[in-house]
Structure formats: C-alpha cells, structure tokens
Amino acid sequence: MNLKEITLRHLKMRMKSPFSTSFGTIQDKEFILLEAKDESGNIGWGESVAFYSPWYTEETLKTNWHMLEDFLIPAILNKEIQHPDEVSDIFSSIRKNNMAKSTIEGAIWDLYSQEKGISLAKALGGEKNKIEVGISIGIQNTVDDLLNLIDEYVAEGYKRMKVKIKPGWDIEVLREIRKHFPNVPLMADANSAYRLKDIDHLRKLDEFELMMIEQPLASDDFIDHAKLQKEISTPVCLDESIHSYVDTRMAIEMGSCKIINIKIGRIGGLTESKRIHDLCQKHNIPVWCGGMLEAGIGRTHNIALTSLSNFVLPGDTAGSSRYWERDIIDPEVIVEDGYINVPDVPGIGYEPNTETIKTFTVFEKTFS
Ligand SMILES: O=C(O)CCC(=O)C1=CC=C[C@@H](O)[C@@H]1C(=O)O
Ligand SMILES: [Mg+2]
C-alpha cells in the first residue's frame, strides 16, 4: 500500500451533556479526523484523541495538526507499506507525539484490513464477536444526580460503572453509591488527583470492593504507585502513566499496578496496543480499553482492539448515543444488554458519513 493523499479535518461536535473530571469540563469536543487514500483509491480513516487543551496529556489538537502537517504526513506519503507494523519504523526519527502518530497508523490499519478482505478486529488478532461495555460518568453537581445516572445506566445494561473522584468528592460519594448499589461492578478514576501522602485516605477505598482505582497518583510516578499498591487491596490501574511497551514493562516489574488501561492514541497506535496486550497477558495482568470521548471512527478502532482475548474487563467504549445527537458513522455504535457486536466485514465495519462529517468540519486541508 502507498498513501497518495491525506485530508485533515478539524471537527467540532457538541456533547449531549458536559463531561467533568478533576481537571475541568468538556462540552464541545474538538478533534482531528484523518482520511487517507491509497494508490487504488481505497480510503482509511483515523481519529486523533488529543483534546483541545493539554489537561489529560501534553498533546493537543494543534500540536497534533502541526506534527501531522509538518512531519508525519511528509514522512508517510508515497512510502511503500506492506504491513501497519512498519509505521513505527517510518516514524522512528520523530519523538513521542503518540496521539498524532496513532491518527495515521489507525487509518493504515483500516486500509490494510480492507486490502486483506478481513475485519479490523481479525487483522489485529481479535477473537471475540461481542465486547462487554462499561460506562464512565463524570463528576456531577450532587450525589443524587450521580445516583440517578447510575440507576439509568444499570437499567440500560452497562456492565460496570466508572466514577470520577477527587479530594472532597470520593469516600462519602462511594459510600452513598454502595448503599444504593451494593453489588454493581464499580471503579473510580482519580486522574492523578492524589499523592502518596494521602495513603491513609486512599486505604479507605478498600471497604467498597472496587474493581480498581484508576491513576490515583502522578502520571510519571511508577515508584509511588508501587508503594501504594503494596498498602491497599484495591487493584491499582494505570492510565496516564502508560505511553509504551517499555512503560508497561516497568509498571509490571515494579508492581506499580495490577491492571492496565490501554488507550490506542496515548500509546501511539494499534500495533503498540497489541504488543502491550500480549505482554500483559503473559504476566496475567488484565487490560481494558479506555475511552477518550471519541466520535465514531475512534470508537470503531476501540471496538476492534477490545476483541483481543486479554481485554477481560469492560471498557469505556459506550454507544454513540451516550455522547452525540448524531455520530459521524453509519450505523451508529449500539449497545445492547451491555454488549457491542464486533463487525465481521472488511475494515472497520461502519461507514463514515461524509455529509455529517461536513457539517461538523471547521477547517480542512488536503496533502498529496
Ligand atoms: O467515555 C469515555 O470515552 C471515557 C471518558 C473518560 O473516562 C476519560 C476521558 C478522557 C480523559 C479522562 O477524563 C478519562 C479517563 O481518564 O479515562
Ligand atoms: Mg482514566
């Protein structure tokens, strides 16, 4: 395969309801959508998960656009590619910028699976034909609002509830949740809101039988996460800390966590995600697929990846209607009884809707 033309689009989509974390609130999701055409005219799609501002990682929509326009697209156009695993070599002289790299790599995996006439899930080595879906709920104004949402999502069949916590919105909130929902599979995500000095406070989490506490401490602190994990029985899951296979090896060897959240963009693509999946499987570390409030394209890539066998915990890839009035793919992603079916047709298995994409496009540029 040989990429002949790439179009970048800056999209802006209003979320049905704002999403709040310990860092702030998102109401409008702005992101880059990438369309890549090969020499036969086949089209592959990629979606950047970088947010508009750098609260989750240092990458943003604008840094991604800059990396794509000035470095990554020039490096990949007209290069002969036999397999998507070669993309990391092509980009090896460009440091980090994982979300930008992943945007192109995703489109190449899409094209590759179309070329082979198999689903993206099969191309990645996926084995499941349906995946379990959990839901991530942002910080709410009141505990009652949160309880009402959990009630609604339990009734919709979601397989686990993830709630965001931060100092002042944690132990009491979880206690209330457990009072009303003693048996619901529950986890908490702190997005690095604590430090090791909070260990006595974090120990109190153990009474709630959480599936895990996600990213309690600083994103670059493997040592303190290891110290914390030794002191609490709740499994620690790392999200922001994990950017690569090497980070994963470090976390496993140091005992910094018992579970890993794989986000394709944060890790730099599907190839690296697969390597991390395999490494975790070897070490009996369960993984799950994190979400980045993706629109349809990113969502389909998450579904394909989650079909790999060590994704044994429900992920954050909920249905399109949880986020959008209208998603950019047909059909939209649908959750039934807490499951999403993994498509078994060539490529991502959903059709990007070019008309809808146009309505959300703020700016676009084509490179050839
Ligand atoms: O529904 C989703 O896509 C998951 C949302 C979610 O939990 C997150 C999205 C983006 C950044 C974070 O706040 C967070 C996470 O840390 O996992
Ligand atoms: Mg997280």
Side-chain angles (χ1 to χ4, degrees), residues 16-88:
K16 272 187 177 171
S17 51
F19 189 83
S20 295
T21 71
S22 55
F23 283 95
T25 299
I26 299 181
Q27 171 74 76
D28 288 307
K29 174 88 198 282
E30 294 191 59
F31 62 96
I32 299 171
L33 197 63
L34 180 146
E35 180 178 1
K37 200 184 277 181
D38 71 9
E39 74 280 21
S40 318
N42 295 324
I43 290 175
W45 294 83
E47 179 177 324
S48 159
V49 296
F51 292 116
Y52 194 80
S53 53
W55 58 273
Y56 173 77
T57 57
E58 61 275 28
E59 290 186 82
T60 67
L61 184 152
K62 285 187 184 171
T63 69
N64 272 212
W65 193 288
H66 159 56
M67 290 309 300
L68 285 159
E69 171 162 11
D70 296 331
F71 298 104
L72 299 168
I73 292 176
I76 206 107
L77 276 178
N78 298 309
K79 277 264 160 60
E80 190 53 40
I81 300 166
Q82 304 299 329
H83 191 279
D85 289 354
E86 294 159 24
V87 175
S88 62

Side-chain angles (χ1 to χ4, degrees), residues 56 73 81 132 137 155 179 186 197 228 235 248 268 271 329 366:
Y56 173 77
I73 292 176
I81 300 166
E132 279 193 314
I137 309 172
K179 213 159 81 191
L186 179 67
K197 67 176 170 45
L228 175 67
T248 311
T271 296
I329 49 168
T366 298

Side-chain angles (χ1 to χ4, degrees), residues 349-363:
Y350 294 81
E351 204 51 53
N353 185 316
T354 49
E355 279 310 307
T356 313
I357 290 171
K358 214 181 273 171
T359 62
F360 295 128
T361 300
V362 176
F363 178 72

